[in-house]
Amino acid sequence: MHPVRVSIPTFRSENNSIEKGYTVFGIDVLMNGRQHAVEKRYSEFHTLHKMLKKSIKPPEIPSKHVRNWVPKVLEQRRQGLELYLQPILLFLRDPYLLPSAHDAFSNVVIEGVVHGVFYPDLQPR
């Protein structure tokens, strides 16, 4: 099975006239030898956390309420979100939780979750 690696190397503030400012986190995903880059807001991590709580006991997620305009606080949140994702990826790769490698469906679970998290708008064929 190819490893899945996720990092959150960047974040940026987004401001527009429709809603108050928010932070977007740049996420790099290495999956099956291919690099993917996506951007997600904290609210999307929080939604993922609530979804995961229905089936596993995920690690604590960084606080929802922070000062979004303080760079040091945002850097701490970025680091916290990056750390948050690591145990989840370990759970998804745990051989005791997944079907054996010779099972035709062994990668379906991982790919389904990864695509659901990082490509929720992608429609199945």
Side-chain angles (χ1 to χ4, degrees):
M1 184 183 328
H2 295 283
V4 176
R5 293 192 193 119
V6 176
S7 64
I8 305 175
T10 63
F11 64 87
R12 64 180 169 77
S13 296
E14 189 71 33
N15 296 304
N16 62 41
S17 59
I18 299 171
E19 59 184 320
K20 76 177 191 179
Y22 55 89
T23 304
V24 177
F25 295 91
I27 305 166
D28 290 340
V29 181
L30 179 63
M31 183 174 82
N32 296 326
R34 295 177 56 188
Q35 184 79 23
H36 305 273
V38 294
E39 291 187 326
K40 297 291 178 183
R41 294 174 61 168
Y42 177 86
S43 60
E44 293 171 286
F45 282 96
H46 195 259
T47 300
L48 168 66
H49 183 72
K50 290 191 306 189
M51 180 187 75
L52 289 172
K53 283 174 58 173
K54 294 177 183 177
S55 58
I56 66 170
K57 184 170 180 4
E60 290 297 316
I61 190 166
S63 176
K64 184 173 185 169
H65 304 287
V66 298
R67 295 182 176 139
N68 288 6
W69 63 91
V70 179
K72 185 175 180 178
V73 172
L74 291 173
E75 174 58 21
Q76 289 173 341
R77 179 180 262 187
R78 182 202 65 76
Q79 291 173 2
L81 291 172
E82 189 172 81
L83 287 172
Y84 171 78
L85 292 176
Q86 303 314 310
I88 293 168
L89 291 173
L90 287 174
F91 172 80
L92 294 174
R93 291 191 305 248
D94 189 327
Y96 296 102
L97 299 173
L98 295 174
S100 64
H102 63 274
D103 187 334
F105 296 107
S106 64
N107 291 327
V108 171
V109 173
I110 289 176
E111 290 177 12
V113 171
V114 169
H115 283 264
V117 170
F118 297 107
Y119 307 105
D121 299 326
L122 185 66
Q123 297 298 317
R125 291 186 220 176

